[in-house]
Amino acid sequence: AHFHFAGFAAPTVVGLMGRDIGFRGEPPTQKRPWAYSVAACVVMAGVPLVAAGIALSRSLETPSAILLGLGMLQLSGFLMFSGLRRLFRPVVAPPLTAFERARWRVSGLCLFVAGFSLVGSMMLAIAFAVTGSAGHGATDGLIPYATMAAFHGIANAIGFATMAFLGFFLSPKALERAEHGPEVEDVIP
């Protein structure tokens, strides 16, 4: 179950976040943020490395878990920033209905919650890996496996994956295009 979420949700959310900051395959209108590129590469590499570490060796699992945790923490910053931008910044857009404006704000709340959930769950995952709680034959770790499974799993499944997907799903397409396009006229408070 862990790698269904980590292996599917994390890379998918990274891609959706890249699209949200304006990288849709066409030449970017502004310089690509290097921090996003680093986070994307680390998450894409980190998921299979952690899986290999769990299956093969604790000496690979611990650094891989730390690497993936740091990449996901970086992603959490992008999610929270995007969420706050949607919640509080006046949005430049074509005329939208009240329903579309509400969807935009709710999508911001969902993205903020997704990013905030990652902070706690990834700090717990890093602590789990570093304290000897994880790995083959780990017995006297600082964090019990049941605690890790309950808190890290629920925070990632519901707080991160579900809320991030819901946040991106709720984004009105007209407003999303307007956020990145030059042909915009109206400002919606």
Side-chain angles (χ1 to χ4, degrees), residues 112-178:
F112 182 82
V113 169
F116 190 75
S117 294
L118 272 182
V119 173
S121 71
M122 286 297 113
M123 301 267 300
L124 183 61
I126 291 171
F128 187 73
V130 170
T131 61
S133 302
H136 303 290
T139 54
D140 296 332
L142 181 64
I143 302 166
Y145 176 77
T147 301
M148 179 64 176
F151 291 107
H152 176 76
I154 290 170
N156 279 343
I158 296 170
F160 165 63
T162 302
M163 295 305 282
F165 287 139
L166 186 60
F168 288 117
F169 173 76
L170 288 174
S171 301
K173 298 302 174 204
L175 190 52
E176 206 172 76
R177 283 190 301 275

Side-chain angles (χ1 to χ4, degrees), residues 6-117:
F8 169 74
T12 304
V13 172
V14 166
L16 290 169
M17 190 72 249
R19 188 183 74 170
D20 190 66
I21 27 183
F23 306 118
R24 300 182 186 164
E26 67 253 2
T29 56
Q30 59 186 9
K31 198 171 184 181
R32 177 181 294 226
W34 65 268
Y36 168 77
S37 298
V38 169
C41 290
V42 167
V43 170
M44 297 300 183
V47 171
L49 284 172
V50 170
I54 289 171
L56 302 174
S57 162
R58 175 149 169 70
S59 60
L60 176 61
E61 180 182 5
T62 299
S64 298
I66 293 168
L67 180 72
L68 178 60
L70 293 174
M72 294 297 282
L73 285 171
Q74 201 169 1
L75 175 63
S76 76
F78 282 103
L79 287 166
M80 288 190 290
F81 178 77
S82 182
L84 289 173
R85 185 183 71 212
R86 291 174 185 212
L87 281 170
F88 298 112
R89 191 177 102 193
V91 180
V92 178
L96 296 176
T97 65
F99 179 70
E100 288 174 319
R101 284 194 298 274
R103 279 180 56 183
W104 184 252
R105 302 297 184 209
V106 171
S107 75
L109 179 62
C110 291
L111 292 178
F112 182 82
V113 169
F116 190 75
S117 294

